[in-house]
Amino acid sequence: MSFADVLKKRAEETGQKVIEAEKPVVEKAENKSAFAAALQQRKATQDPNQISTEFDTGSIPVWSFSSLKDYEQCPYRVYLAKIEKKPQKQSDAASRGEAIHQMAEDFVRAGTGEVPKELSKFDIAFRDLQQLFADGKVIMEENWGIRKDWSPCDWKDPDIWGRAKLDVFVRESETAAKIIDHKSGKKFGNELKHGDQGLSYALHAFHRYPELETFKVEFWYLDHAETLERLFTRRQLGILLPRYHKRAQDMTTAKVFPAKPNCNNCRWCAYGNGKFGTGDCEFAEK
């Protein structure tokens, strides 16, 4: 006798009313084709890749990768930068990075000349970029914008929702492209952050170039002769898009911006009490 039958018998012996639960109706697919059709129907009604575009933006209506990372580390930092518009210090490392980026762009556009010593560890790679640029296959320092539905737009579009600034975009074939980002800092310890940045670039390209099927992102660490590579397919990006979209939506609809002070966040914060901070954050750790 099963456990259910035992309970039923005891209920009858004590005079309690027994209510039979209705068994769920389960339709069994007759064959593999019917089973596949049922799965497709379920996907059509419950699409995991669907994104929401019907929302009102808040005090910070536009995101970029850098502002999104700052928001996820400490929302109050973004509040000070975007709403209070507090000025930030320009560190020597940041100034050098901007100068090197300009140097790389100028060299590729020039089409000739000696590779600057700051770029010399990627001598052959930069000469290849020169030739590709001359062949019309390279775009340098382009500003990309997207609306809420990820449709591409320029930075002055009234409906812009997200921004990305690319160092180099290389069209490798009709269905493949490569995005290159120049880094003057180190690779070690930044792999996850830069990999996430690469995903952001690839998602922009995914919508800007619907004919592309593969998206390669390369980070060139110019001081260390190292690279970091990420490869995405259109199918992978379609799966990854909703989560990234939700992160950006959370930031651009935020109404409160709580501080998250801790040793690491405050040490490198532009408004903390560290070497590169202005001291404007009243929550910063000493």
Side-chain angles (χ1 to χ4, degrees), residues 151-249:
S151 59
C153 65
D154 61 43
W155 278 23
K156 295 183 179 180
D157 191 290
D159 295 322
I160 190 170
W161 181 61
R163 291 190 173 107
K165 186 176 182 65
L166 277 75
D167 292 344
V168 182
F169 180 81
V170 184
R171 191 62 178 261
E172 296 188 308
S173 70
E174 292 184 359
T175 59
K178 177 167 65 177
I179 297 167
I180 301 171
D181 192 81
H182 301 140
K183 297 294 186 186
S184 54
K186 61 181 181 179
K187 174 182 177 180
F188 181 75
N190 288 309
E191 293 90 345
L192 290 178
K193 177 183 177 181
H194 294 164
D196 193 31
Q197 184 180 7
L199 173 57
S200 177
Y201 288 150
L203 287 171
H204 275 266
F206 172 87
H207 293 86
R208 187 165 289 263
Y209 298 98
E211 71 277 13
L212 295 180
E213 293 296 333
T214 58
F215 308 80
K216 182 189 295 183
V217 184
E218 293 183 358
F219 294 91
W220 294 4
Y221 299 89
L222 303 177
D223 290 340
H224 305 282
E226 295 180 308
T227 61
L228 176 67
E229 298 182 7
R230 293 289 183 268
L231 180 65
F232 303 96
T233 66
R234 180 163 289 277
R235 180 177 179 277
Q236 289 172 329
L237 293 176
I239 295 172
L240 295 171
L241 173 63
R243 184 177 179 182
Y244 212 101
H245 180 90
K246 181 62 167 57
R247 290 168 60 190
Q249 183 179 343

Side-chain angles (χ1 to χ4, degrees), residues 47-54 148-150 161 207 241-243 245-246 249:
D47 184 2
N49 297 332
Q50 189 175 8
I51 59 175
S52 171
T53 59
E54 298 299 324
K148 292 177 185 177
D149 62 356
W150 289 78
W161 181 61
H207 293 86
L241 173 63
R243 184 177 179 182
H245 180 90
K246 181 62 167 57
Q249 183 179 343

Side-chain angles (χ1 to χ4, degrees), residues 67-83:
S67 63
L68 179 59
K69 294 301 290 185
D70 285 347
Y71 174 80
E72 291 175 339
Q73 285 185 330
C74 179
Y76 192 63
R77 182 190 307 178
V78 181
Y79 171 84
L80 291 174
K82 301 295 184 181
I83 299 176

Side-chain angles (χ1 to χ4, degrees), residues 3-274:
F3 180 68
D5 291 335
V6 172
L7 291 179
K8 182 178 179 181
K9 182 178 180 181
R10 287 181 181 177
E12 292 174 344
E13 290 174 351
T14 57
Q16 297 180 14
K17 187 177 180 180
V18 179
I19 300 176
E20 294 283 352
E22 293 184 2
K23 294 182 179 181
V25 178
V26 180
E27 295 184 2
K28 185 177 180 181
E30 296 179 358
N31 50 49
K32 291 183 178 180
S33 298
F35 179 70
L39 286 180
Q40 286 297 113
Q41 185 176 5
R42 179 176 296 180
K43 288 181 179 180
T45 57
Q46 299 179 347
D47 184 2
N49 297 332
Q50 189 175 8
I51 59 175
S52 171
T53 59
E54 298 299 324
F55 58 87
D56 294 326
T57 53
S59 302
I60 304 176
V62 181
W63 66 277
S64 65
F65 172 76
S66 59
S67 63
L68 179 59
K69 294 301 290 185
D70 285 347
Y71 174 80
E72 291 175 339
Q73 285 185 330
C74 179
Y76 192 63
R77 182 190 307 178
V78 181
Y79 171 84
L80 291 174
K82 301 295 184 181
I83 299 176
E84 292 292 323
K85 299 189 183 301
K86 295 287 187 180
Q88 301 181 13
K89 291 181 180 179
Q90 178 83 327
S91 67
D92 292 340
S95 298
R96 179 175 179 270
E98 289 181 2
I100 290 178
H101 274 76
Q102 187 62 54
M103 194 180 301
E105 180 183 1
D106 292 343
F107 175 77
V108 173
R109 289 184 184 278
T112 186
E114 293 297 319
V115 177
K117 65 177 183 179
E118 291 85 351
L119 313 177
S120 60
K121 292 180 179 178
F122 285 81
D123 183 292
I124 296 175
F126 273 106
R127 292 190 183 279
D128 289 342
L129 278 184
Q130 266 193 346
Q131 185 58 54
L132 289 170
F133 182 79
D135 295 339
K137 297 179 180 180
V138 169
I139 298 173
M140 299 290 296
E141 299 294 335
E142 189 166 57
N143 296 330
W144 286 358
I146 55 165
R147 305 180 184 91
K148 292 177 185 177
D149 62 356
W150 289 78
S151 59
C153 65
D154 61 43
W155 278 23
K156 295 183 179 180
D157 191 290
D159 295 322
I160 190 170
W161 181 61
R163 291 190 173 107
K165 186 176 182 65
L166 277 75
D167 292 344
V168 182
F169 180 81
V170 184
R171 191 62 178 261
E172 296 188 308
S173 70
E174 292 184 359
T175 59
K178 177 167 65 177
I179 297 167
I180 301 171
D181 192 81
H182 301 140
K183 297 294 186 186
S184 54
K186 61 181 181 179
K187 174 182 177 180
F188 181 75
N190 288 309
E191 293 90 345
L192 290 178
K193 177 183 177 181
H194 294 164
D196 193 31
Q197 184 180 7
L199 173 57
S200 177
Y201 288 150
L203 287 171
H204 275 266
F206 172 87
H207 293 86
R208 187 165 289 263
Y209 298 98
E211 71 277 13
L212 295 180
E213 293 296 333
T214 58
F215 308 80
K216 182 189 295 183
V217 184
E218 293 183 358
F219 294 91
W220 294 4
Y221 299 89
L222 303 177
D223 290 340
H224 305 282
E226 295 180 308
T227 61
L228 176 67
E229 298 182 7
R230 293 289 183 268
L231 180 65
F232 303 96
T233 66
R234 180 163 289 277
R235 180 177 179 277
Q236 289 172 329
L237 293 176
I239 295 172
L240 295 171
L241 173 63
R243 184 177 179 182
Y244 212 101
H245 180 90
K246 181 62 167 57
R247 290 168 60 190
Q249 183 179 343
D250 288 345
M251 173 186 158
T252 55
T253 58
K255 295 180 179 180
V256 294
F257 301 87
K260 295 182 179 179
N262 62 51
C263 180
N264 187 62
N265 283 353
C266 296
R267 179 184 180 188
W268 303 108
C269 179
Y271 302 108
N273 297 310

